[in-house]
Amino acid sequence: MTLAIAGLVPLSSCDWPGRLVATAFLQGCPWRCTYCHNVSILDPRVPGTVPWADVLDLLDRRHGLLDGLVFSGGEPTRQAELVDAAREVRDAGFGVGLHTAGAYPRRLAAVLPLVDWVGLDIKAPARLYRAITRVGGPTTSADAAFTSLRLVLDAGVDVQVRTTVDPTVLGDADVEELTAALADLGVRDHVLQEVRADGTSSEYRAALLDARRLPG
């Protein structure tokens, strides 16, 4: 197994609602989101620091204590080995959770049959997506994310859609527009998250401070 793992949290009560899990943070992400606080694990060229064998050993020692393993990132679907890793977790008797922004719909489709719960980041209305992800064409990242959302909804996998509200890009009307659009698509669990400044770039922290000073 050559899965590049940047970090491992042995116990989390917040990465999968209602479950006690371990969380593996996979290296690499194709997007460069404004508010990203995991900048150190974005570069896909950086090797992992946690062997997959260590993850399996943790699970083996915590049978009866943990409900599952969450694959987070970075963007975990970037790595093709995710499918085999998820299968090993299932075979060991644990649930599989997945945090994804939907950047790779085809790879998401391949792993979905092995996933019990998805935390899917939908960042903005399509027209504003690139202002947050800062890569690709005007709708490249939005097309991938909303295609992934459709895949998850069609698969019937338990899903929570999360939106980190970036006030440097999104206004109240934009958030309302997105919430309504997601409801129309069939999303029943949509959570708004406040942006966190810790771990972000100094440029973003300054822009965030300015945005929060603006009236309204």
Side-chain angles (χ1 to χ4, degrees):
M1 179 69 67
T2 58
L3 203 66
I5 305 171
L8 177 64
V9 174
L11 179 64
S12 171
S13 61
C14 62
D15 285 328
W16 182 345
R19 303 288 183 95
L20 290 178
V21 299
T23 303
F25 293 87
L26 273 57
Q27 182 75 35
C29 182
W31 295 347
R32 295 297 178 264
C33 296
T34 50
Y35 51 74
C36 182
H37 57 271
N38 281 338
V39 175
S40 63
I41 69 172
L42 295 181
D43 190 342
R45 299 167 297 181
V46 175
T49 59
V50 179
W52 176 242
D54 287 6
V55 179
L56 294 180
D57 180 63
L58 173 68
L59 294 178
D60 185 57
R61 289 185 282 109
R62 297 207 170 179
H63 263 291
L65 300 175
L66 292 177
D67 298 310
L69 177 74
V70 172
F71 293 97
S72 189
E75 173 49 57
T77 60
R78 186 192 71 81
Q79 300 189 46
E81 295 88 349
L82 176 64
V83 174
D84 289 338
R87 184 177 292 110
E88 289 193 41
V89 174
R90 289 286 291 270
D91 289 347
F94 292 91
V96 175
L98 177 66
H99 291 173
T100 179
Y104 299 97
R106 290 183 183 177
R107 290 185 175 176
L108 175 62
V111 77
L112 270 179
L114 300 166
V115 172
D116 301 291
W117 174 83
V118 176
L120 177 60
D121 293 334
I122 296 294
K123 301 176 182 295
R127 59 187 173 79
L128 294 174
Y129 236 83
R130 193 187 185 284
I132 291 179
T133 62
R134 299 187 295 179
V135 297
T139 65
T140 304
S141 51
D143 291 344
F146 281 96
T147 296
S148 292
L149 173 60
R150 186 74 269 159
L151 286 170
V152 173
L153 293 174
D154 289 348
V157 178
D158 190 18
V159 58
Q160 181 181 82
V161 174
R162 296 93 61 86
T163 300
T164 299
V165 180
D166 181 355
T168 72
V169 176
L170 301 174
D172 290 345
D174 302 316
V175 175
E176 292 172 4
E177 174 190 342
L178 177 60
T179 298
L182 292 174
D184 288 344
L185 290 170
V187 173
R188 297 292 172 260
D189 186 4
H190 179 215
V191 175
L192 300 178
Q193 301 177 147
E194 185 177 358
V195 72
R196 291 162 43 191
D198 56 299
T200 62
S201 68
S202 58
E203 293 82 5
Y204 180 72
R205 290 195 297 273
L208 182 61
L209 185 61
D210 287 343
R212 286 175 170 169
R213 285 172 176 163
L214 294 175

